[in-house]
Amino acid sequence: MAARTDQVTDPAIAAALLLARRGQAYYSRKLNELSDADFDGPTLLGDWDRRHLIAHVGLNARAITRLVEWARTGVETPMYASPEQRADEIDFSATLPAHALRNLSDHAAIHLTVEWRDLPAEAWTNEVRTGLGRIVPVSETVWMRTREVWIHAVDLGNGGRFEDFPPELLDALLADILGAWDRRRDAEGLPRYLLDVVDRDGDPLGAETDAGSVRDEEELVVRGTAAALTRWATGRGADGVLTGRGEPASPAPRWL
Ligand code: ZN
């Protein structure tokens, strides 16, 4: 019989799992506040209504579950067969009756958390391939799901707020996004942002690049709370975010 507690022994992964599960609970709570008729309404993501978003988040749990199963068994099971298959499955699932979408959401989330729970401690470093083709230790699936559930809870558009996110989550999201921009800076000519997080102590984020306090013309100061900056950096609007000159910030580059 499988144990009923997490097998993982790495305290960092255990903490990450907690954040993912809190995010799932937050997302599920926002979803459960929607009536069946509300499912036909819009999300904060222009091109997806709630049906598509709810289908996507449920299918994402299934896809991540496949990676955890891959790590456990060694049998390669990709997240998706192809980008087209992923999109088709979302489109099809979005047509399901509301109760079936609710079941998809709940069951997929439970299956994933059970797979994480039962993954042996020594298997957490096993490598898998993400939907974007990156080879990562399976422990990365925890962060992949964490991002999805918290941010898409906001995208449901019924009151979820970045201001509800735990501080350590906001900090991890900002670090993740700055890292992604850094890696793409030269290829895409991205600006070198300095994020001045007004509710955090310390230097602006991004300031440690180059020698000391060197500034160049590519550098742009963007100022706001950690929640407002995360909303802006994830492409969800510039409320509460100003440039160093006190002007409205222009849209952030894409993250993923
Ligand atoms: Zn998503």
Side-chain angles (χ1 to χ4, degrees), residues 91-108:
D91 285 342
F92 173 77
S93 300
T95 67
L96 292 170
H99 72 88
L101 275 172
R102 293 183 193 277
N103 283 341
L104 167 64
S105 178
D106 291 346
H107 292 168

Side-chain angles (χ1 to χ4, degrees), residues 20 69 76 119 134-135 156 178 199 223 232-233 235 247 254:
E69 289 168 341
E76 181 169 336
L119 189 66
R134 288 188 306 135
I135 305 295
L156 282 173
L178 284 171
D199 50 351
R223 182 171 294 133
W232 168 79
E247 295 159 352
R254 74 180 168 85

Side-chain angles (χ1 to χ4, degrees), residues 54-64 66 80 89-90 93 104:
I54 294 163
H56 159 61
V57 174
L59 294 170
N60 170 267
R62 285 194 184 159
I64 290 179
R66 286 193 278 278
Y80 304 102
E89 197 178 19
I90 292 168
S93 300
L104 167 64

Side-chain angles (χ1 to χ4, degrees), residues 9-179:
T9 49
D10 182 329
I13 299 176
L17 277 170
L18 181 62
L19 198 55
R21 288 170 175 148
R22 287 171 68 189
Q24 181 67 56
Y26 183 70
Y27 173 83
S28 296
R29 179 153 56 86
K30 299 316 294 178
L31 194 161
N32 288 334
E33 288 169 8
L34 295 169
S35 70
D36 288 359
D38 290 338
F39 279 26
D40 297 324
T43 66
L44 302 193
L45 305 167
D47 46 349
W48 270 351
D49 62 11
R50 289 196 181 114
R51 297 182 145 277
H52 280 79
L53 180 60
I54 294 163
H56 159 61
V57 174
L59 294 170
N60 170 267
R62 285 194 184 159
I64 290 179
T65 299
R66 286 193 278 278
L67 297 186
V68 184
E69 289 168 341
W70 174 356
R72 179 168 54 78
T73 64
V75 177
E76 181 169 336
T77 43
M79 289 184 76
Y80 304 102
S82 67
E84 294 74 27
Q85 178 261 325
R86 172 183 178 276
D88 288 348
E89 197 178 19
I90 292 168
D91 285 342
F92 173 77
S93 300
T95 67
L96 292 170
H99 72 88
L101 275 172
R102 293 183 193 277
N103 283 341
L104 167 64
S105 178
D106 291 346
H107 292 168
I110 291 167
H111 191 179
L112 174 57
T113 203
V114 167
E115 280 292 333
W116 277 334
R117 185 193 69 189
D118 292 343
L119 189 66
E122 66 276 11
W124 279 88
T125 51
N126 290 355
E127 289 184 330
V128 295
R129 192 177 57 249
T130 72
L132 298 174
R134 288 188 306 135
I135 305 295
V136 296
V138 70
S139 56
E140 181 75 12
T141 61
V142 180
W143 177 240
M144 290 162 60
R145 183 63 180 169
T146 299
R147 295 187 308 212
E148 289 288 318
V149 285
W150 283 103
I151 295 175
H152 286 326
V154 176
D155 293 334
L156 282 173
N158 65 326
R161 303 156 68 237
F162 285 89
E163 283 74 8
D164 291 342
F165 290 16
E168 68 270 29
L169 173 64
L170 294 169
D171 294 345
L173 285 166
L174 288 174
D176 186 330
I177 295 165
L178 284 171

Side-chain angles (χ1 to χ4, degrees), residues 216-247:
D216 61 40
E217 61 225 62
E218 293 176 304
E219 188 176 84
L220 292 168
V221 175
V222 185
R223 182 171 294 133
T225 62
L229 285 169
T230 305
R231 179 167 49 238
W232 168 79
T234 58
R236 269 98 177 151
D239 284 357
V241 175
L242 295 172
T243 68
R245 291 198 208 93
E247 295 159 352

